[in-house]
Amino acid sequence: MTIDAGGAGTVGPDAGGLNDDLTDADDWVVAPNSQRNFSPWAQVQLELAAVEPAESVPTEPGIVPGWRARTRGRMTDLLGEPAHPVPLAAEVTESEACGSYTRHRVVFDSEATMSVPAYLLVPNARRTRGPAVLAIHGHGPGKSEIVGLADDRAPGDTEHPGDYAHRLAEAGYLVLAPDLRCFGERADPVPGGHYLCDANLVAAVAAGRNPLADNLHDLVCALDLLSDHPLVDASRIGAVGFSYGGTMSLFLSAWDTRVRATIVSGYFSSWRAAHRVPYNLCGSQVLFGMLGQLEHVDLAALVAPRALLVESGREDFLFPIESATQSITELAAVYAAMRAPMHSLEHHVFEGGHRWDGETALAFLDRWL
């Protein structure tokens, strides 16, 4: 008797010492102990189901400070060694009148080998220092979408533009909107169907870097630029972002206390829930070994007691409303334990899916900035 080796020839009794006994099911075929799985994503799901958080979210006021310090430590470890600071060397390359404000294209350095293009929207009526917002785009065209130069809405959606940087500037805020790495002017060429965030993750890991940590560093530099601007009150800076921009506004505000008010739209729920959609997270939204070590609610607890507005769509299957609501409930206990100002934590739930809403955004920023 012979065994077909998948087209690689046959194996007989004189080949490699094998004999007919190996084909006897009683000798070498063993019934599996569980259902077979061929999916790498499903394997992570099975492992994630067994993961316990490093620490549960506490509610007792006396425990919260130590827990936040340990959470900050885990975040620091996951982010790794920070980039070496360099002078920003900011310059304005072009300017254009946009009604009530002027849009400047600016470029600044974040590393010796990396520069950041951005739009700076300056209200024409601004004469003295005042509030400013760092506006962070999501997946799509980059900064051009949120300043109103590109439209990445779903076909047929005429009611929900994602131009929140433009709208904030019209409302009187000085706004800085940079391109994150892999987006807009910072997008490298890739073949059709090849996702740049994931391609960049491969290159970054090979060089010992992490894309999320790199983008976080660029945004810290963006805060430096805003803080130094002669028309900005450095004590009145906010950060807003949708989807991947929500990822980065949450991380930035947890990391840098200069952010006084934060809007996280289309993101806040939990990694445990978001990872249930196989294609949801990209190469720019993960830290090595983060599951079980750090959750959305942990990051938000590092924002407390500063102001935080979370936007959630009831039909957003990428970041489920049930998980978002549960995380907000846990987070509210932290805000209460820290004696945060009333209404400093808001959860705006709207009818719709994965999109920017903004219905309460301006009133929220006006209150806290």
Side-chain angles (χ1 to χ4, degrees), residues 279-299:
Y279 53 82
N280 191 5
L281 301 181
C282 76
S284 294
Q285 287 178 290
V286 294
L287 295 171
F288 184 80
M290 69 184 185
L291 297 178
Q293 295 300 308
L294 202 64
E295 258 296 357
H296 292 194
V297 66
D298 299 324
L299 291 168

mmCIF file of all heavy atoms in Angstrom, residues 279-299:
data_model
loop_
_atom_site.group_PDB
_atom_site.id
_atom_site.type_symbol
_atom_site.label_atom_id
_atom_site.label_comp_id
_atom_site.label_asym_id
_atom_site.label_seq_id
_atom_site.Cartn_x
_atom_site.Cartn_y
_atom_site.Cartn_z
ATOM 1 N N TYR A 279 -11.289 42.631 9.821
ATOM 2 C CA TYR A 279 -10.571 43.668 9.076
ATOM 3 C C TYR A 279 -10.631 45.031 9.751
ATOM 4 O O TYR A 279 -10.257 46.035 9.157
ATOM 5 C CB TYR A 279 -11.164 43.782 7.662
ATOM 6 C CG TYR A 279 -12.660 43.978 7.643
ATOM 7 C CD1 TYR A 279 -13.225 45.233 7.825
ATOM 8 C CD2 TYR A 279 -13.513 42.896 7.473
ATOM 9 C CE1 TYR A 279 -14.599 45.414 7.844
ATOM 10 C CE2 TYR A 279 -14.893 43.067 7.476
ATOM 11 C CZ TYR A 279 -15.433 44.324 7.650
ATOM 12 O OH TYR A 279 -16.792 44.478 7.672
ATOM 13 N N ASN A 280 -11.110 45.095 10.989
ATOM 14 C CA ASN A 280 -11.376 46.387 11.610
ATOM 15 C C ASN A 280 -10.094 47.160 11.928
ATOM 16 O O ASN A 280 -9.922 48.296 11.507
ATOM 17 C CB ASN A 280 -12.198 46.186 12.882
ATOM 18 C CG ASN A 280 -12.731 47.500 13.444
ATOM 19 O OD1 ASN A 280 -12.572 48.547 12.849
ATOM 20 N ND2 ASN A 280 -13.380 47.428 14.591
ATOM 21 N N LEU A 281 -9.196 46.553 12.674
ATOM 22 C CA LEU A 281 -7.981 47.250 13.089
ATOM 23 C C LEU A 281 -6.931 47.176 11.995
ATOM 24 O O LEU A 281 -6.816 46.183 11.280
ATOM 25 C CB LEU A 281 -7.441 46.630 14.374
ATOM 26 C CG LEU A 281 -8.398 46.643 15.567
ATOM 27 C CD1 LEU A 281 -7.735 46.027 16.785
ATOM 28 C CD2 LEU A 281 -8.869 48.055 15.874
ATOM 29 N N CYS A 282 -6.147 48.247 11.864
ATOM 30 C CA CYS A 282 -5.122 48.294 10.823
ATOM 31 C C CYS A 282 -3.738 48.357 11.457
ATOM 32 O O CYS A 282 -3.592 48.428 12.678
ATOM 33 C CB CYS A 282 -5.349 49.509 9.913
ATOM 34 S SG CYS A 282 -4.845 51.077 10.676
ATOM 35 N N GLY A 283 -2.730 48.366 10.615
ATOM 36 C CA GLY A 283 -1.353 48.369 11.094
ATOM 37 C C GLY A 283 -0.943 49.626 11.821
ATOM 38 O O GLY A 283 0.122 49.670 12.443
ATOM 39 N N SER A 284 -1.772 50.671 11.760
ATOM 40 C CA SER A 284 -1.469 51.914 12.468
ATOM 41 C C SER A 284 -2.208 52.032 13.787
ATOM 42 O O SER A 284 -2.093 53.051 14.467
ATOM 43 C CB SER A 284 -1.828 53.122 11.580
ATOM 44 O OG SER A 284 -1.013 53.177 10.440
ATOM 45 N N GLN A 285 -2.994 51.026 14.169
ATOM 46 C CA GLN A 285 -3.844 51.128 15.355
ATOM 47 C C GLN A 285 -3.500 50.123 16.449
ATOM 48 O O GLN A 285 -4.285 49.954 17.374
ATOM 49 C CB GLN A 285 -5.317 50.927 14.960
ATOM 50 C CG GLN A 285 -5.915 52.106 14.227
ATOM 51 C CD GLN A 285 -7.351 51.845 13.830
ATOM 52 O OE1 GLN A 285 -7.632 51.045 12.957
ATOM 53 N NE2 GLN A 285 -8.274 52.534 14.467
ATOM 54 N N VAL A 286 -2.364 49.481 16.361
ATOM 55 C CA VAL A 286 -2.051 48.426 17.315
ATOM 56 C C VAL A 286 -0.671 48.634 17.932
ATOM 57 O O VAL A 286 0.215 49.226 17.327
ATOM 58 C CB VAL A 286 -2.116 47.027 16.652
ATOM 59 C CG1 VAL A 286 -3.543 46.707 16.228
ATOM 60 C CG2 VAL A 286 -1.173 46.940 15.457
ATOM 61 N N LEU A 287 -0.520 48.127 19.144
ATOM 62 C CA LEU A 287 0.762 48.058 19.822
ATOM 63 C C LEU A 287 1.044 46.594 20.133
ATOM 64 O O LEU A 287 0.132 45.843 20.491
ATOM 65 C CB LEU A 287 0.741 48.873 21.122
ATOM 66 C CG LEU A 287 0.561 50.385 20.974
ATOM 67 C CD1 LEU A 287 0.332 51.017 22.342
ATOM 68 C CD2 LEU A 287 1.758 51.020 20.288
ATOM 69 N N PHE A 288 2.270 46.178 20.001
ATOM 70 C CA PHE A 288 2.616 44.775 20.196
ATOM 71 C C PHE A 288 2.275 44.336 21.626
ATOM 72 O O PHE A 288 2.729 44.943 22.594
ATOM 73 C CB PHE A 288 4.105 44.556 19.933
ATOM 74 C CG PHE A 288 4.515 43.108 20.015
ATOM 75 C CD1 PHE A 288 4.291 42.266 18.941
ATOM 76 C CD2 PHE A 288 5.089 42.599 21.161
ATOM 77 C CE1 PHE A 288 4.646 40.927 19.010
ATOM 78 C CE2 PHE A 288 5.452 41.268 21.234
ATOM 79 C CZ PHE A 288 5.226 40.422 20.154
ATOM 80 N N GLY A 289 1.426 43.299 21.736
ATOM 81 C CA GLY A 289 1.081 42.753 23.041
ATOM 82 C C GLY A 289 0.130 43.593 23.859
ATOM 83 O O GLY A 289 0.058 43.445 25.079
ATOM 84 N N MET A 290 -0.679 44.464 23.190
ATOM 85 C CA MET A 290 -1.516 45.389 23.955
ATOM 86 C C MET A 290 -2.744 44.721 24.569
ATOM 87 O O MET A 290 -3.245 45.187 25.601
ATOM 88 C CB MET A 290 -1.976 46.540 23.053
ATOM 89 C CG MET A 290 -2.959 46.142 21.970
ATOM 90 S SD MET A 290 -3.351 47.536 20.878
ATOM 91 C CE MET A 290 -4.626 46.781 19.839
ATOM 92 N N LEU A 291 -3.260 43.647 23.959
ATOM 93 C CA LEU A 291 -4.495 43.041 24.443
ATOM 94 C C LEU A 291 -4.300 42.460 25.842
ATOM 95 O O LEU A 291 -3.382 41.679 26.082
ATOM 96 C CB LEU A 291 -4.967 41.956 23.472
ATOM 97 C CG LEU A 291 -5.321 42.455 22.071
ATOM 98 C CD1 LEU A 291 -5.732 41.298 21.167
ATOM 99 C CD2 LEU A 291 -6.428 43.495 22.129
ATOM 100 N N GLY A 292 -5.160 42.887 26.739
ATOM 101 C CA GLY A 292 -5.048 42.471 28.129
ATOM 102 C C GLY A 292 -4.223 43.425 28.968
ATOM 103 O O GLY A 292 -4.335 43.428 30.205
ATOM 104 N N GLN A 293 -3.397 44.239 28.332
ATOM 105 C CA GLN A 293 -2.548 45.183 29.054
ATOM 106 C C GLN A 293 -3.147 46.586 29.116
ATOM 107 O O GLN A 293 -2.922 47.326 30.070
ATOM 108 C CB GLN A 293 -1.164 45.264 28.376
ATOM 109 C CG GLN A 293 -0.378 43.972 28.448
ATOM 110 C CD GLN A 293 -0.112 43.553 29.884
ATOM 111 O OE1 GLN A 293 0.400 44.336 30.687
ATOM 112 N NE2 GLN A 293 -0.464 42.321 30.213
ATOM 113 N N LEU A 294 -3.914 46.948 28.102
ATOM 114 C CA LEU A 294 -4.420 48.314 28.000
ATOM 115 C C LEU A 294 -5.719 48.273 27.209
ATOM 116 O O LEU A 294 -5.777 47.644 26.154
ATOM 117 C CB LEU A 294 -3.390 49.188 27.274
ATOM 118 C CG LEU A 294 -3.424 50.697 27.479
ATOM 119 C CD1 LEU A 294 -3.116 51.045 28.926
ATOM 120 C CD2 LEU A 294 -2.395 51.362 26.559
ATOM 121 N N GLU A 295 -6.756 48.906 27.719
ATOM 122 C CA GLU A 295 -8.028 48.964 27.018
ATOM 123 C C GLU A 295 -8.431 50.421 26.791
ATOM 124 O O GLU A 295 -7.823 51.343 27.336
ATOM 125 C CB GLU A 295 -9.127 48.237 27.809
ATOM 126 C CG GLU A 295 -9.465 46.849 27.287
ATOM 127 C CD GLU A 295 -10.057 46.855 25.870
ATOM 128 O OE1 GLU A 295 -10.258 47.949 25.290
ATOM 129 O OE2 GLU A 295 -10.311 45.753 25.345
ATOM 130 N N HIS A 296 -9.455 50.615 25.962
ATOM 131 C CA HIS A 296 -9.944 51.970 25.714
ATOM 132 C C HIS A 296 -10.265 52.698 27.016
ATOM 133 O O HIS A 296 -9.914 53.864 27.188
ATOM 134 C CB HIS A 296 -11.214 51.905 24.845
ATOM 135 C CG HIS A 296 -10.978 51.441 23.445
ATOM 136 N ND1 HIS A 296 -11.920 51.575 22.444
ATOM 137 C CD2 HIS A 296 -9.913 50.835 22.858
ATOM 138 C CE1 HIS A 296 -11.454 51.074 21.314
ATOM 139 N NE2 HIS A 296 -10.239 50.616 21.553
ATOM 140 N N VAL A 297 -10.930 52.001 27.924
ATOM 141 C CA VAL A 297 -11.321 52.640 29.183
ATOM 142 C C VAL A 297 -10.097 53.007 30.018
ATOM 143 O O VAL A 297 -10.105 54.016 30.736
ATOM 144 C CB VAL A 297 -12.287 51.734 29.978
ATOM 145 C CG1 VAL A 297 -11.601 50.448 30.437
ATOM 146 C CG2 VAL A 297 -12.884 52.480 31.157
ATOM 147 N N ASP A 298 -9.032 52.225 29.913
ATOM 148 C CA ASP A 298 -7.802 52.552 30.641
ATOM 149 C C ASP A 298 -7.190 53.846 30.113
ATOM 150 O O ASP A 298 -6.745 54.707 30.888
ATOM 151 C CB ASP A 298 -6.790 51.411 30.506
ATOM 152 C CG ASP A 298 -7.304 50.105 31.081
ATOM 153 O OD1 ASP A 298 -8.010 50.152 32.104
ATOM 154 O OD2 ASP A 298 -7.005 49.040 30.518
ATOM 155 N N LEU A 299 -7.128 53.975 28.777
ATOM 156 C CA LEU A 299 -6.607 55.204 28.189
ATOM 157 C C LEU A 299 -7.455 56.408 28.606
ATOM 158 O O LEU A 299 -6.925 57.462 28.974
ATOM 159 C CB LEU A 299 -6.585 55.090 26.664
ATOM 160 C CG LEU A 299 -5.575 54.111 26.065
ATOM 161 C CD1 LEU A 299 -5.865 53.895 24.588
ATOM 162 C CD2 LEU A 299 -4.150 54.622 26.257
#
